[in-house]
Amino acid sequence: MMTTGFALAGVLALAACSDAPAADDGDANAQEQSAEAGAESPEAGAEQPEMPEADTSDIPEVVAEVNGEELSGEDFTVLYESQFQQMAMQSQISGEEPDQDQLKEQTLESMIGNELLLQDAEDEGYEASSDEIEAIISDAAENVGMESSEEFIEAYEDQGMDEEQLRQDAESQVLINQVLDDLEVPEPSEEELRELYDEAVAAQEDAPSPEGAEGAEEDEMPSFEEARDDLETQATDEARNEAAVAHVDDLRSDAEVTTNL
């Protein structure tokens, strides 16, 4: 369940599709190698499967009401199409069609969860400063490879949106983040860290050896002590996510939620 990131998810998708820079050298090299491999393959001329399209024909004007607040079909569509695009790209590799009904349900639950968190933030009196709002926009710009907030805002406006709405979305994100940051999350125990480390070691041992590259060597696994900081971060992130899901569940148990999908 996605409990954060909804407010700017659609913005990121729009910006990435419009003015985001081309892939970096690593991606470009990978694409070039893939193209060369395809040219040498006997099936190079075979037709590639068509990219599936998102079906939003059944999306109502209001997809849900949360404690009297309406969640619009327009906002739902932006988020859904963003999520669907990622799944569609994966389907080109796996050959499996995305389950649109399931994805729509997940998208709606994400929206409801974020609205509950936002209402909780307002009830608790959280406030978003201008610096915090600017930081959210700056991070969003960086995530799609843009050099500045101004460039990101310009891309947003090129999609027919306005800067005021962008800043409102960023403000909502700040408030949601404040709620999640204040959740009590226990420090990971030594046993939990050891378990995570053992899982990482096992995963590396099961991973296939690199092929096609002379002198390719398997990366050496760091010791437990060397990996401790990363393990603590991973364990804390997992615990924070579990706490967020539990908090949304608590909020929803006391909320009036009506869905229209």
Side-chain angles (χ1 to χ4, degrees), residues 11 15 137 140-141 144 146 148-156 166:
V11 181
I137 298 175
V144 295
M146 295 184 179
S148 66
S149 300
E150 290 74 17
E151 184 181 357
F152 186 82
I153 292 170
E154 182 178 348
Y156 188 74
L166 172 61

Side-chain angles (χ1 to χ4, degrees), residues 113-128 171-180 182 247 251:
N114 278 277
E115 178 60 29
L116 288 169
L117 289 169
L118 181 58
Q119 291 180 11
D120 186 38
E122 293 172 345
D123 290 343
E124 294 297 323
Y126 290 101
E127 296 181 354
E171 179 181 7
S172 296
Q173 189 66 68
V174 170
L175 295 174
I176 289 173
N177 289 349
Q178 289 175 349
V179 172
L180 298 180
D182 282 349
H247 186 58
L251 293 173

Side-chain angles (χ1 to χ4, degrees), residues 3 86 89:
T3 54
Q86 297 178 36
M89 293 175 67

Side-chain angles (χ1 to χ4, degrees), residues 55-259:
D55 179 13
T56 57
S57 59
D58 60 344
I59 306 304
E61 185 175 344
V62 176
V63 293
E65 290 186 22
V66 181
N67 293 325
E69 291 292 328
E70 295 182 345
L71 306 184
S72 75
E74 182 179 0
D75 287 343
F76 174 92
T77 298
V78 171
L79 180 58
Y80 174 73
E81 289 180 343
S82 171
Q83 299 298 313
F84 180 84
Q85 184 181 36
Q86 297 178 36
M87 289 191 66
M89 293 175 67
Q90 294 173 2
S91 75
Q92 294 293 92
I93 300 173
S94 66
E96 296 182 5
E97 286 280 335
D99 186 335
Q100 298 209 43
D101 289 338
Q102 183 182 42
L103 182 58
K104 287 176 181 177
E105 182 179 348
Q106 293 172 345
T107 302
L108 184 60
E109 288 302 313
S110 297
M111 291 183 68
I112 292 172
N114 278 277
E115 178 60 29
L116 288 169
L117 289 169
L118 181 58
Q119 291 180 11
D120 186 38
E122 293 172 345
D123 290 343
E124 294 297 323
Y126 290 101
E127 296 181 354
S129 70
S130 57
D131 287 344
E132 289 172 320
I133 293 171
E134 186 62 33
I136 287 286
I137 298 175
S138 179
D139 288 345
E142 183 177 348
N143 286 339
V144 295
M146 295 184 179
E147 296 182 356
S148 66
S149 300
E150 290 74 17
E151 184 181 357
F152 186 82
I153 292 170
E154 182 178 348
Y156 188 74
E157 291 177 331
D158 286 345
Q159 297 292 331
M161 315 297 183
D162 60 59
E163 182 178 346
E164 181 180 356
Q165 182 60 54
L166 172 61
R167 294 193 178 279
Q168 288 178 0
D169 290 343
E171 179 181 7
S172 296
Q173 189 66 68
V174 170
L175 295 174
I176 289 173
N177 289 349
Q178 289 175 349
V179 172
L180 298 180
D181 288 343
D182 282 349
L183 294 178
E184 292 187 8
V185 178
E187 292 188 6
S189 66
E190 186 77 6
E191 182 180 355
E192 289 173 322
L193 297 180
R194 290 283 180 182
E195 184 177 340
L196 284 175
Y197 182 76
D198 291 343
E199 290 174 357
V201 171
Q204 185 178 49
E205 291 175 349
D206 293 341
S209 300
E211 299 178 358
E214 290 188 13
E217 297 182 2
E218 184 176 323
D219 292 336
E220 183 178 349
M221 188 71 182
S223 68
F224 174 77
E225 290 303 327
E226 291 172 333
R228 176 181 287 275
D229 287 346
D230 289 337
L231 293 170
E232 288 179 346
T233 298
Q234 179 182 346
T236 300
D237 287 345
E238 291 178 0
R240 188 172 297 282
N241 185 63
E242 291 176 2
V245 172
H247 186 58
V248 169
D249 288 343
D250 288 342
L251 293 173
R252 183 155 186 171
S253 66
D254 295 327
E256 295 182 6
V257 179
T258 303
T259 60

